Amino acid sequence: QHGRSNLGVVLAAARHLSQDGQADAAQAAYTHALRLAPQRADIHAELNRYLWEIGRRDAFLQSYADVKDQVAGDLRRARPPPFAHWRG
């Protein structure tokens, strides 16, 4: 429960900082939120949308690639490869 409340505080800070134009601090807060909850697709999307809006294209592309790699890894761990149960 403590992690969730901390996540809420960090996300609120990220949003406030982004609205206040403090891009470096906002990006750091979003990154911290993702360390607390790496599986939260909504946080990834919010960070990526913010990076795109402020013109940080390189950071956006890196963040997008990180998410893509994470999802691919999650899918590999979540299900066996096709035909893994077959014995030839």
Side-chain angles (χ1 to χ4, degrees), residues 1-21:
Q1 185 67 17
H2 179 68
R4 283 190 184 163
S5 62
N6 191 32
L7 176 61
V9 170
V10 172
L11 272 175
R15 292 170 181 148
H16 174 77
L17 291 164
S18 68
Q19 291 172 352
D20 199 34

Side-chain angles (χ1 to χ4, degrees), residues 21-50:
Q22 298 182 48
D24 291 335
Q27 185 175 346
Y30 277 119
T31 300
H32 182 67
L34 287 170
R35 278 196 296 275
L36 295 172
Q39 302 300 324
R40 291 274 306 266
D42 60 319
I43 300 171
H44 285 284
E46 194 170 326
L47 170 60
N48 286 341
R49 188 171 34 257
Y50 177 66

Side-chain angles (χ1 to χ4, degrees), residues 23-24 27-28 31 34 44 47-67:
D24 291 335
Q27 185 175 346
T31 300
L34 287 170
H44 285 284
L47 170 60
N48 286 341
R49 188 171 34 257
Y50 177 66
L51 292 171
W52 185 263
E53 287 173 359
I54 63 171
R56 293 191 173 179
R57 303 299 193 252
D58 289 342
F60 165 82
L61 292 171
Q62 183 60 55
S63 179
Y64 184 85
D66 292 346
V67 171

